[in-house]
Amino acid sequence: MKPSKKKIRQLSRQDFCKIIVLSVVGLLFMVVAILTCIWDPAHILAIHMVRLSKGSLMYNIVTQKDYPCAYYDIYVFNVTNGDAFLSGREKKLKIEEVGPFRYQEFRTNTNIDLDIEKGILKYTPKVDIRFIPEFSIGDPRDVEVQMPDMVLLAAASRASAHAVFVQYFYNIAVKSLMRKPIRTTTVHNVLWGTNNDAIMQLANTFLPGEFDFKTFGILHKVQNSGDTNFVIKATDEEKFEIISFNGEKGLSAMGYGTQKQSRCNTFKDAYEGLSYPIDITKDTPLRLYRNSLCRLIDLEYYGTRSIDYGPEAYVYRFRRDAFSNTTETECACHLPECINGVTDLAPCFYGAPSGLSNAHFLHSDMKVSERLEGMKPDEEKHGSEFVIDPILGVPLSTKFTVQGNLIMGDVSFNSDVKVFANMVVPLLYFKIVQPEMPEYFKSLFWAVYVIGPYFRYASIIILYSTSLLLLFRAIKLYYSSVGTTIQFPAQELLIAENNEKCH
């Protein structure tokens, strides 16, 4: 009896197809498992969501109208011994901080132009600053303080650099106004200034071209800084790094474009603080630039911190010498004699002799506070902290302080203000705080850092297990099929041969 070839071929074809399908699917599962070990799908998805491209989460934030940005907790320095200091009875100016007065910056970016091919994003930010009464000690319009007359002192300091006859006529004119160097005013006037101030009109008459303002107010300056056009990088590796500001690749007010051009005034490694590149390391150089600060401030790595909703974040701070005169910050000094701990702000603030420092002169030269009483620098209260997710480059929290001061020249020519000669006079300070992370960002981080790893490991185990089972099934089916194909025909041939021998 001959073997049934039709039966053998039909069985082999079915098993062959099953073996191929099982093997291909099993190998595919194994490849996916290996790739999942190499690349984290949650990480890839998160980077895709925070990239700068139309429709992404980060792009939607940049293009959102009236986006709530930083809080400003503002403290003004109230003078408690004005008459005694002006008369010379007391040599130190006694001050105490009054606040906070909370404001919040709301931002709308206009003229948005994203060029994916070039990897750049252009935009013009518009800032609106609003008072938040529930987190303030009172309405700034109702709270009165004793403060140095900022306009009077600024004008006198500018006049000190001019010829004697200018100083003489300036003194005569100022005397007629009967303004005291320390006077009572409201916090609102300090922050927003007053229009048509008599001293400003006088200063512009005797010192033409010295001042570029009509209203001397710090928040007024921040909110009304004109069109400021940014061009930033839009690639993942350099996301949000500033390329140019108002068409320049550096700060011309700090010497960019002159023989003083250096990293100090060039937008290299500079960010606004909205976001940072992906996959930063401890050695990645980061610098902060805010238009209102008028300078670039280096950040230094400080350590790590675990966040409740997931990531192990990097913590940065301002360098201790951020406001000091060093080879890396020398472009920021335009004074005859630079002051360690106080940066010259005049080029960006109306041309007034103003200076920027940490709050309460933290990390400043002790000489700055010699003629002051009430300065209590504290790293915890007046320091800085930038908590950044190193993988996605998203700022998780930000807080830092900056203090506005008047840098007085030799104003001894004016009897009313001579007690302020060669003195750094603190006016107020800002504690700038990033709002709490939005819930959708927390959910993203939770998915990436908490749920993601479990899901990833579970997926790897399931994929590997399924792959091995499928491959084992294919191998078993193969040997089973081979055994069937060989075994049955051999038995039939043996029976046939025996039958022939019998006959």
Side-chain angles (χ1 to χ4, degrees):
M1 180 178 178
K2 293 183 178 181
S4 175
K5 294 182 180 179
K6 182 178 180 182
K7 182 178 180 181
I8 295 170
R9 285 195 299 269
Q10 185 178 10
L11 180 62
S12 300
R13 186 180 301 112
Q14 290 175 349
D15 289 344
F16 176 77
C17 292
K18 289 181 181 179
I19 291 169
I20 292 298
V21 171
L22 290 171
S23 299
V24 170
V25 175
L27 289 173
L28 181 62
F29 276 29
M30 181 170 287
V31 170
V32 174
I34 294 172
L35 292 177
T36 304
C37 288
I38 299 173
W39 294 298
D40 184 355
H43 179 203
I44 295 172
L45 177 62
I47 289 177
H48 182 74
M49 293 180 70
V50 299
R51 76 197 188 284
L52 272 176
S53 62
K54 292 184 178 179
S56 70
L57 180 61
M58 192 60 68
Y59 182 81
N60 290 339
I61 291 174
V62 172
T63 57
Q64 179 180 333
K65 293 183 178 180
D66 222 22
Y67 178 69
C69 293
Y71 289 112
Y72 300 156
D73 283 344
I74 303 176
Y75 298 82
V76 298
F77 288 116
N78 178 57
V79 177
T80 61
N81 67 334
D83 291 338
F85 180 74
L86 291 177
S87 66
R89 296 196 310 272
E90 296 184 8
K91 300 300 180 183
K92 289 188 176 184
L93 184 67
K94 295 180 180 179
I95 54 178
E96 61 180 8
E97 64 177 47
V98 177
F101 301 92
R102 174 168 287 190
Y103 289 80
Q104 186 168 15
E105 175 185 305
F106 290 83
R107 179 166 170 162
T108 299
N109 293 317
T110 61
N111 303 324
I112 298 173
D113 181 15
L114 176 62
D115 191 326
I116 297 296
E117 292 185 2
K118 293 182 179 179
I120 61 173
L121 173 68
K122 301 177 182 179
Y123 58 91
T124 301
K126 302 292 185 182
V127 174
D128 184 26
I129 299 175
R130 303 172 192 170
F131 178 58
I132 311 295
E134 56 268 29
F135 294 99
S136 305
I137 65 167
D139 190 325
R141 298 178 185 273
D142 299 329
V143 179
E144 292 188 338
V145 287
Q146 288 278 325
M147 287 196 65
D149 189 326
M150 295 185 292
V151 180
L152 178 63
L153 293 183
S157 186
R158 280 298 189 190
S160 68
H162 286 263
V164 175
F165 74 90
V166 174
Q167 298 174 4
Y168 175 76
F169 286 108
Y170 172 80
N171 282 342
I172 294 175
V174 169
K175 286 284 187 183
S176 66
L177 297 177
M178 301 184 68
R179 285 265 288 263
K180 288 187 176 182
I182 298 176
R183 61 174 183 160
T184 302
T185 186
T186 65
V187 173
H188 181 271
N189 286 343
V190 174
L191 299 179
W192 295 98
T194 55
N195 292 318
N196 300 317
D197 187 283
I199 295 292
M200 286 190 290
Q201 296 178 12
L202 180 65
N204 286 322
T205 299
F206 284 90
L207 308 169
E210 286 285 338
F211 297 101
D212 178 25
F213 64 87
K214 292 183 179 179
T215 301
F216 194 105
I218 295 171
L219 288 183
H220 181 272
K221 172 64 175 177
V222 174
Q223 182 165 283
N224 299 279
S225 56
D227 289 340
T228 53
N229 302 306
F230 280 95
V231 179
I232 65 170
K233 295 179 181 179
T235 60
D236 289 341
E237 295 75 15
E238 300 174 304
K239 181 163 51 86
F240 278 95
E241 182 178 353
I242 299 172
I243 299 175
S244 67
F245 173 70
N246 286 345
E248 294 186 338
K249 295 184 178 182
L251 296 175
S252 57
M254 295 294 172
Y256 180 81
T258 69
Q259 68 275 14
K260 292 185 178 181
Q261 182 170 318
S262 65
R263 186 176 184 276
C264 173
N265 49 40
T266 304
F267 292 127
K268 176 64 177 171
D269 308 319
Y271 304 85
E272 273 201 284
L274 300 177
S275 187
Y276 302 91
I278 64 169
D279 297 328
I280 62 176
T281 69
K282 299 174 183 178
D283 298 321
T284 301
L286 299 177
R287 295 195 293 168
L288 179 70
Y289 174 73
R290 299 281 291 180
N291 181 37
S292 56
L293 301 182
C294 187
R295 57 158 302 171
L296 299 156
I297 301 178
D298 283 275
L299 307 183
E300 63 179 1
Y301 174 79
Y302 181 74
T304 61
R305 177 179 301 168
S306 297
I307 305 300
D308 294 339
Y309 43 86
E312 184 75 12
Y314 285 177
V315 180
Y316 293 82
R317 292 182 176 180
F318 285 166
R319 286 178 46 166
R320 290 179 64 91
D321 59 357
F323 297 101
S324 297
N325 183 38
T326 67
T327 54
E328 297 182 8
T329 61
E330 59 185 0
C331 74
C333 179
H334 301 82
L335 302 171
E337 184 177 349
C338 300
I339 305 169
N340 280 330
V342 183
T343 293
D344 182 20
L345 201 61
C348 301
F349 195 74
Y350 306 124
S354 50
L356 195 69
S357 68
N358 287 313
H360 283 250
F361 295 122
L362 178 70
H363 305 316
S364 298
D365 192 323
M366 294 295 293
K367 293 181 179 179
V368 177
S369 304
E370 283 181 345
R371 296 163 63 186
L372 296 168
E373 188 174 312
M375 292 285 99
K376 300 175 182 178
D378 184 297
E379 182 70 53
E380 185 66 26
K381 294 180 180 179
H382 310 130
S384 58
E385 184 178 81
F386 301 80
V387 183
I388 303 171
D389 169 30
I391 295 177
L392 302 181
V394 175
L396 306 178
S397 69
T398 299
K399 66 175 183 179
F400 62 94
T401 65
V402 286
Q403 181 171 299
N405 313 281
L406 283 177
I407 302 177
M408 301 300 295
D410 184 5
V411 292
S412 55
F413 73 91
N414 186 296
S415 59
D416 291 333
V417 300
K418 66 180 181 179
V419 292
F420 291 102
N422 302 311
M423 183 178 180
V424 179
V425 183
L427 301 173
L428 76 175
Y429 75 86
F430 287 58
K431 184 175 184 180
I432 300 174
V433 181
Q434 174 184 322
E436 186 178 356
M437 183 66 60
E439 288 302 322
Y440 53 80
F441 259 123
K442 289 184 179 180
S443 300
L444 173 63
F445 287 123
W446 183 264
V448 173
Y449 295 105
V450 180
I451 302 299
Y454 292 107
F455 179 79
R456 182 187 182 191
Y457 298 142
S459 299
I460 292 171
I461 293 171
I462 293 171
L463 288 168
Y464 267 125
S465 301
T466 306
S467 171
L468 293 174
L469 287 172
L470 291 173
L471 292 174
F472 178 76
R473 175 60 180 162
I475 293 171
K476 183 178 180 182
L477 181 60
Y478 170 76
Y479 282 110
S480 175
S481 298
V482 170
T484 302
T485 303
I486 294 173
Q487 183 179 3
F488 289 121
Q491 291 177 349
E492 291 180 7
L493 288 172
L494 182 61
I495 293 171
E497 288 176 359
N498 290 334
N499 286 338
E500 288 178 359
K501 289 179 180 179
C502 291
H503 293 293

